[in-house]
Every structure is written in C-alpha cells, then in structure tokens.
Amino acid sequence: MLNFSSCNVTDPGQALPQCRFAGSFGPLSSHWCTPRAVSFSFSFSRSSSRLSLSPVQAVLSYRQQVGSDAAVESGSGSLADRLRLGGLTEDGLSYKEKFIIRCYEVGINKTATIETIANLLQEVGGNHAQSVGFSTDGFATTPTMRKLHLIWVTARMHIEVYKYPAWSDVIEIETWCQNEGRIGTRRDWILKDVATGEVIGRATSKWVMMNQDTRRLQKVNDDVKEEYLIFCPREPRLAFPEENNKSTKKIAKFEDPVQYSRLGLKPRRADLDMNQHVNNVTYIGWVLESMPEEIIDTHELQTITLDYRRECQQDDVVDSLTSPELAEGTETVSVLRGTNGSATATTGADQPDCHQFLHLLRLSGDGQEINRGRTEWRKKPTR
C-alpha cells in the first residue's frame, strides 16, 4: 500500500524528510489509517501474557497498569463517553459509532462533502483510541511509544464513497487496526447507512512509526506491539478484500504539461491540527481546488487516494496541480473545448461517465512534493 518514491520504508533507520507528519492521525489515534493483504504473528520475545487476555480485559488491565491519570485522560466515564453513540464491539476488536449529518457538513450537492467523510473517519479513529485507554494528546501513543519519543506518520489514505449521506441522515462507521510489516500499521473503516444497513463507503490507511526527535523511521518493536495488538483482529481483516482493488494501486508519476492548477494556496490558522501541522483533511480540499469546474458541476467524487510525502506548516505556500489520468496504451488524455478546456479524461474502463485524474501538491518555492493523489469521479445522480 505504501509507495514512497522518496522514502524507502524498508530501512527503519532512514531519515524521513519528505513524509507527512501526522501524529494526530495514528492508527490507534485520534484520526486516520490503510489496506493491503496483511499477516502477522503473535509470537514475541517477551512474555505475551497480555495477548491471552480478551480486549475488554486488556482495556481494564491497561488502565490499571498506567494508572488513574491515563483513565481520566482517555475520557473513561466522562460525560462525552455517556453521550457518544459509539463503543467497542462485543469482541473488543473494533469500534462502531453513529453520526448524524449536520447542515454545515453538506455541500453544493446537498449531501455530505468528502471533507466531512474524512473528518468523521478521524473522529471515530480518535474515539477508538480513547476507548482502549491510549493517549489523547494528539499522537495516540502507547506508554512505550511516549517513552521512546515515537509517533505515527501517515503514509497513505484511500477513501471510496458509494453513496453520500444527506443532511439528517444517520450513518454508522466501524473501524479497526492491524499490524502491517516491520515499521507499519493500518486502520480500516466501513461506513453504513443506519436506516437501510447499506454499505455506503469504505476506507483504509497506512501508517509508519517515526522517532519524533531524529525524524527517522523506526521499527515497531515487540513492546509496542504488545500494547496495541491485543486490540486488533486476530486474523487479517480488510475493508478492501478484493484482489487488485484500487486501494493498493500505485499513483502514477505526474507528467507535464499540467492542464489545471491553483497556485499560491496558503494554510489558514483553522487548517492546523493540535500538533501545529496542516490537518490531513486540508490536503483533500487543496487537491479539489485545481479540479476543472466542468467536472465539479456534473460529477461527484467516488474515490480518492493520497500518498503523503512531507509535512506542511503554516508558513508554506502550496501549488495544486491536476491532469486527467492517462489510460494504459493511450497517448491523449483529454480534449480541450472552449476557453478553459473541458476535460474528457480516459478511464481505463468502459465507463463513459467515469473520469480519473492525477494530482500533485507541491511547495511553491522549491517544488518539493507534499502529496501525490488520484481521484475518480462519477456522474452525479438525479435527486
């Protein structure tokens, strides 16, 4: 799932200058995570007695181990916990929560925006982390991670929306975490319409561990695994189990000439998260800023994949670039009509109303990549 062009994640000691710092979205965090076929072992060099506990027993044991302060920090027994429409599932291996779509969360289509969906994924991920007693300081770290100054870094995010909920619709989001590789982990989500039980979306994300002081990738050691694997499914569970699903598709390199652009984007104060870095959802908005109006007016986003390359801070100036994706075996990807050009993007599939685009966010000054993305758009439904 993770395809850093500038970061070789197979080397745990490598510097990570171009990977998005997103501690607040850690896998057992207050925000996001990814997919790919994954397998892991529960054999550790140290005693794995905690893994013999049920997840519910582990939550109680964990809070007793780290003391009452952590229980207070996690919001255990708080008013928010009592009012929240969510909690751990019966087996303790995932977390579900219901949300009502508010009027300020819908856009011009009178349905929830993709930013709303992404924010809800962050929210349910954070509430999951709180429910098992992990840190709520913005990093969702375990005691061992805090001791070693380790944080989670977002590597990839993939979201598919099959039907956007409307104002006052109630949706339920289920989320869970799993181990992935030597230095990675992942979080998956499934979104359902509560009224119909229909699956209306799925998402997955990939995270790697980084030393906060040295900014180098760090292997997930056994001590950390013991602290979070107890809350993970025992067998691989994927939001996208299909073979060759789009969540694992590599994002092609962005080639000139650029057909659509929005230059000089600047982070607002409201774009910063609790760690003083640009929030992941802001990147989605920046990607959409350079989409052609002809597509925005007639289509809706059905799939977005983002590879995070480097962090973005308040003083940075960002360029958003977009071009129709070139389908394999073709040489022309769009036909320009009129002054601004109306993109007719090739799809790589027999879907005449489906359009695919590649995206690049880069620093305006030196051109360094911040984020590489890919989107798919479908014709807006008649409402």
Side-chain angles (χ1 to χ4, degrees):
M1 161 76 67
L2 175 59
N3 295 305
F4 285 123
S5 65
S6 55
C7 299
N8 179 8
V9 297
T10 60
D11 180 4
Q14 134 180 16
L16 191 62
Q18 292 188 323
C19 298
R20 158 82 168 106
F21 173 88
S24 64
F25 306 135
L28 269 169
S29 118
S30 39
H31 301 19
W32 313 10
C33 292
T34 58
R36 194 181 252 192
V38 56
S39 62
F40 52 84
S41 169
F42 283 90
S43 60
F44 298 108
S45 56
R46 296 179 65 241
S47 168
S48 56
S49 58
R50 290 194 64 211
L51 294 177
S52 64
L53 300 175
S54 72
V56 175
Q57 291 173 324
V59 171
L60 298 175
S61 173
Y62 184 93
R63 290 174 178 168
Q64 291 172 353
Q65 175 185 344
V66 300
S68 59
D69 288 345
V72 172
E73 179 193 27
S74 69
S76 175
S78 68
L79 177 61
D81 277 341
R82 295 195 294 273
L83 295 177
R84 187 175 289 131
L85 300 176
L88 291 172
T89 54
E90 186 174 350
D91 61 9
L93 299 178
S94 66
Y95 178 93
K96 291 182 178 181
E97 186 168 352
K98 295 181 177 68
F99 298 93
I100 302 172
I101 302 301
R102 313 294 184 180
C103 65
Y104 53 82
E105 295 175 322
V106 303
I108 59 175
N109 297 332
K110 300 180 181 179
T111 57
T113 64
I114 187 64
E115 289 95 335
T116 293
I117 299 298
N119 277 321
L120 291 178
L121 297 183
Q122 295 187 56
E123 177 68 11
V124 73
N127 294 341
H128 183 199
Q130 289 187 17
S131 71
V132 299
F134 283 179
S135 167
T136 58
D137 60 0
F139 294 91
T141 49
T142 69
T144 299
M145 289 179 66
R146 292 193 293 277
K147 178 181 177 182
L148 299 177
H149 296 183
L150 300 175
I151 58 175
W152 296 108
V153 178
T154 315
R156 167 173 275 218
M157 185 72 191
H158 178 85
I159 305 173
E160 295 185 9
V161 182
Y162 312 122
K163 179 182 178 182
Y164 282 90
W167 177 21
S168 296
D169 282 354
V170 181
I171 65 173
E172 181 181 71
I173 304 178
E174 181 181 9
T175 186
W176 64 94
C177 289
Q178 291 180 107
N179 192 47
E180 176 143 320
R182 296 163 56 222
I183 59 176
T185 189
R186 55 181 281 168
R187 177 180 288 279
D188 287 13
W189 298 264
I190 293 178
L191 298 80
K192 291 184 177 180
D193 184 319
V194 171
T196 65
E198 176 187 4
V199 173
I200 60 173
R202 295 182 292 173
T204 186
S205 58
K206 175 66 180 283
W207 303 79
V208 292
M209 185 172 287
M210 185 179 78
N211 185 289
Q212 188 176 2
D213 300 326
T214 66
R215 317 275 308 166
R216 293 181 178 275
L217 294 178
Q218 184 84 29
K219 179 181 178 181
V220 183
N221 64 36
D222 290 348
D223 291 340
V224 173
K225 285 182 179 180
E226 283 191 8
E227 290 172 329
Y228 77 80
L229 284 183
I230 183 63
F231 306 111
C232 300
R234 299 297 185 263
E235 298 293 332
R237 182 188 177 194
L238 310 178
F240 298 92
E242 304 91 343
E243 207 171 327
N244 299 320
N245 66 81
K246 297 174 184 176
S247 71
T248 62
K249 183 176 180 178
K250 182 178 180 180
I251 299 176
K253 184 178 179 180
F254 198 92
E255 300 287 354
D256 288 329
V258 174
Q259 296 198 28
Y260 305 96
S261 64
R262 180 70 182 273
L263 308 181
L265 298 170
K266 297 181 180 179
R268 305 169 303 160
R269 292 184 184 275
D271 294 329
L272 303 182
D273 60 25
M274 64 183 76
N275 302 310
Q276 302 301 310
H277 293 79
V278 173
N279 187 285
N280 287 14
V281 179
T282 300
Y283 292 86
I284 296 177
W286 284 346
V287 162
L288 300 184
E289 279 296 308
S290 57
M291 278 295 299
E293 285 295 329
E294 296 86 350
I295 297 297
I296 295 292
D297 291 342
T298 59
H299 290 68
E300 64 181 10
L301 182 66
Q302 69 177 19
T303 302
I304 183 168
T305 308
L306 297 175
D307 282 341
Y308 294 92
R309 302 305 178 106
R310 59 168 293 123
E311 63 188 342
C312 184
Q313 301 184 358
Q314 185 176 2
D315 295 332
D316 290 331
V317 180
V318 177
D319 293 338
S320 175
L321 311 176
T322 292
S323 282
E325 183 177 25
L326 177 65
E328 293 182 8
T330 65
E331 297 181 357
T332 304
V333 296
S334 68
V335 178
L336 300 181
R337 305 189 187 96
T339 303
N340 295 323
S342 177
T344 304
T346 57
T347 65
D350 295 327
Q351 300 181 42
D353 289 333
C354 181
H355 300 269
Q356 302 172 357
F357 292 86
L358 296 176
H359 307 273
L360 178 66
L361 298 179
R362 68 185 183 192
L363 293 179
S364 294
D366 56 16
Q368 290 189 67
E369 279 193 28
I370 299 173
N371 192 292
R372 186 180 293 186
R374 181 179 182 274
T375 59
E376 294 187 9
W377 301 74
R378 62 173 172 257
K379 196 76 172 178
K380 287 182 180 179
T382 303
R383 300 187 185 280

